[in-house]
Amino acid sequence: MGWKAAEKLIRHWKILRGDNVMIIRGKDKGESGAIKRVIRSQNRVIVEGKNLVKKHIKGGEGHEGGIFTVEAPIHASNVQVLDPVTGKPCKVGIKYLEDGTKVRVARGIGASGSIIPRPEILKIRTTPRPTVAGPKDTPMDLVMEKTYDVKTGKGMPDL
């Protein structure tokens, strides 16, 4: 990727894996599906069962060759998130609730303005958090040890 392409990468993604989207341009225009994968380095997404292409794969050790149908990536600008209330494509805005939580809202012409929920697939961790301390983990008694006193200033290095 050249420097010009890297300059145009989307910085703040509003489309997440698991979102229901509608394809607004291309050969599958008007069809909807769930986002299977987000490729941030290319500004592209893969939609489940859409933008199917034939791929020729040469046979080798351990796998058979042939012609396979695979989902090709679509540019992120060619898909729009579906409004959960109306079911129509809409733009995504960011809003903060009274309690300070950041949520995505549906905006644009004909949008309901409702909150777009975070996809359930993102709430599932692929690797569970370890419950037992490993050999490289710091013991809890060292973590909880008080090394600095605010009132006296003890523990601060002399600069």
Side-chain angles (χ1 to χ4, degrees):
M1 173 180 7
W3 67 274
K4 275 282 189 195
E7 212 174 63
K8 295 175 183 171
L9 287 177
I10 297 171
R11 287 193 177 93
H12 305 289
W13 279 79
K14 295 177 181 176
I15 299 173
L16 303 173
R17 180 170 52 105
D19 273 341
N20 289 322
V21 295
M22 182 175 281
I23 299 170
I24 57 172
R25 283 192 180 64
K27 66 179 183 181
D28 291 325
K29 179 179 177 176
E31 295 182 26
S32 60
I35 298 253
K36 193 174 181 181
R37 186 171 163 219
V38 177
I39 309 167
R40 292 182 183 221
S41 62
Q42 299 175 1
N43 287 347
R44 293 178 181 271
V45 294
I46 294 177
V47 182
E48 249 176 70
K50 305 294 178 233
N51 200 26
L52 298 173
V53 295
K54 301 277 187 189
K55 189 157 179 114
H56 297 256
I57 297 174
K58 190 176 179 182
E61 273 187 48
H63 69 279
E64 232 180 271
I67 303 171
F68 299 98
T69 306
V70 294
E71 297 147 341
I74 306 170
H75 198 272
S77 66
N78 295 337
V79 296
Q80 273 191 328
V81 177
L82 291 176
D83 190 334
V85 176
T86 62
K88 293 181 178 177
C90 65
K91 294 179 180 180
V92 179
I94 303 294
K95 189 177 181 183
Y96 290 93
L97 300 177
E98 287 88 26
D99 60 347
T101 55
K102 185 177 174 181
V103 292
R104 299 182 303 157
V105 292
R107 54 180 208 91
I109 299 168
S112 64
S114 63
I115 294 173
I116 300 170
R118 194 166 168 81
E120 289 295 319
I121 197 163
L122 294 179
K123 296 176 183 172
I124 304 164
R125 284 185 63 91
T126 53
T127 54
R129 289 196 174 110
T131 53
V132 181
K136 293 186 176 181
D137 290 333
T138 308
M140 275 312 282
D141 56 333
L142 286 177
V143 172
M144 299 306 290
E145 183 185 335
K146 193 172 181 181
T147 57
Y148 175 69
D149 188 19
V150 179
K151 291 181 181 175
T152 62
K154 297 268 185 195
M156 270 303 272
D158 295 323
L159 298 175

